[in-house]
Amino acid sequence: MKQETGKKRIIIAIDGPAASGKSTTARRVAERLGYTYIDTGAMYRSVTLKALQQGVLDGLRHSPESVSSLLQNLSIRFDGDRVFLDGSDVTAMIRENRVSREVSFISSLKPVRDRLREMQQELGRQRGVVMDGRDIGTVVFPDAELKIFLVADARERAKRRYAELIAKSPEGEDLPDLDLLEEEIKRRDKDDAEREHAPLKKHPEAYEIDTSDLTIERQVDMVCNLALEKGVAGR
Ligand code: CDP
């Protein structure tokens, strides 16, 4: 992307628990600032999908070191809103609940984190990116000029995820009920926060925003205003 004269290009790191509004906020902030949006959760989801497709998940639970074969020839590419895993468009598949259920396990494995962190650092090398995930401000880009930590009430997050699943699932497909979804979200947050490598936690310099009662517009405004304070010119 061509850099506009005088426009400061920084890294905006947006971390937080599941369904706290990170990806919607990050995507819109990137649009407003003319930055590139990078969804690191989609990368962990892609590796999880690959493990499911290869039928190696159970084996990995018993011998996690065999994960290296999963990472061989791994290619993850973004094209606008689409995500490509080893050349195939997996944008819809990586959002399925079967992937959500297993992604915390796959993302707890150190070789997976090491590989994806390298890819993410390369993607952000030229700066001018909004990157969302769990460890962007703490591990991937600890020097990010603007760090945001989004949180929201667990019930509210389950409702958002439920609405998303309803909107995306084909008619007639079974949906988990709201209570179950809330339980799964809480379990994933716990697993993400308690894992050994790059756990989910707020960087001391991060601005915490509770999105439980905020509209998307308001969230986006808040992050963009903070970016302006850091010297980023608006469009
Ligand atoms: O969209 P949602 O908040 O449900 O999750 P996501 O951002 O798509 O991330 C899915 C999972 O990937 C998380 O629950 C983490 O286990 C893992 N993840 C991670 O470990 N580190 C990141 N930087 C991003 C995601």
Side-chain angles (χ1 to χ4, degrees):
M1 191 190 303
K2 199 166 159 278
Q3 187 172 338
E4 286 169 38
T5 336
K7 186 164 182 173
K8 188 169 167 192
R9 296 174 67 79
I10 65 168
I11 290 190
I12 303 179
I14 304 190
D15 291 305
S20 53
K22 299 182 300 293
S23 58
T24 315
T25 308
R27 182 174 287 116
R28 299 215 190 161
V29 168
E31 263 166 33
R32 275 209 213 163
L33 300 178
Y35 274 25
T36 303
Y37 165 54
I38 297 161
D39 174 358
T40 65
M43 301 171 83
Y44 287 94
R45 286 172 177 274
S46 296
V47 179
T48 306
L49 178 66
K50 188 164 175 169
L52 282 164
Q53 286 172 338
Q54 294 190 349
V56 297
L57 256 168
D58 282 338
L60 276 176
R61 268 188 256 276
H62 296 113
S63 50
E65 63 288 349
S66 60
V67 75
S68 50
S69 61
L70 195 65
L71 300 175
Q72 263 165 23
N73 309 318
L74 173 72
S75 144
I76 299 172
R77 196 168 50 77
F78 292 99
D79 185 356
D81 277 352
R82 319 290 317 163
V83 187
F84 291 83
L85 167 66
D86 299 336
S88 302
D89 187 339
V90 293
T91 314
M93 252 189 291
I94 58 169
R95 302 288 156 202
E96 289 173 9
N97 220 29
R98 64 186 176 121
V99 175
S100 303
R101 269 186 221 115
E102 302 296 347
V103 64
S104 283
F105 165 62
I106 290 293
S107 58
S108 70
L109 304 174
K110 188 161 186 305
V112 175
R113 300 211 72 83
D114 288 347
R115 169 62 77 81
L116 295 192
R117 187 188 61 243
E118 273 170 25
M119 287 182 175
Q120 290 154 11
Q121 287 171 337
E122 181 55 32
L123 287 167
R125 203 164 47 87
Q126 310 223 317
R127 306 187 95 77
V129 299
V130 185
M131 197 175 276
D132 81 342
R134 300 293 186 286
D135 60 342
I136 310 308
T138 49
V139 174
V140 182
F141 285 110
D143 66 340
E145 291 84 347
L146 176 57
K147 300 182 181 78
I148 306 286
F149 197 77
L150 289 189
V151 294
D153 171 69
R155 189 68 175 177
E156 179 57 33
R157 292 188 284 128
K159 284 186 193 161
R160 291 177 189 169
R161 192 44 47 94
Y162 190 68
E164 254 172 44
L165 286 173
I166 289 187
K168 283 181 195 159
S169 65
E171 237 176 280
E173 194 187 73
D174 282 345
L175 282 169
D177 76 7
L178 193 58
D179 289 336
L180 183 65
L181 218 47
E182 185 177 340
E183 244 171 68
E184 283 175 0
I185 282 181
K186 282 183 177 163
R187 186 181 48 92
R188 188 144 62 91
D189 289 349
K190 187 169 181 297
D191 290 346
D192 289 345
E194 291 180 353
R195 69 179 173 223
E196 185 185 353
H197 309 292
L200 166 69
K201 68 166 185 267
K202 179 181 170 290
H203 188 287
E205 281 168 17
Y207 296 87
E208 181 168 317
I209 301 177
D210 186 334
T211 68
S212 307
D213 299 315
L214 292 181
T215 61
I216 299 283
E217 258 340 272
R218 181 82 189 103
Q219 277 158 233
V220 174
D221 284 347
M222 286 170 86
V223 178
C224 285
N225 287 339
L226 287 166
L228 296 184
E229 282 173 23
K230 301 279 173 192
V232 177
R235 286 233 264 208

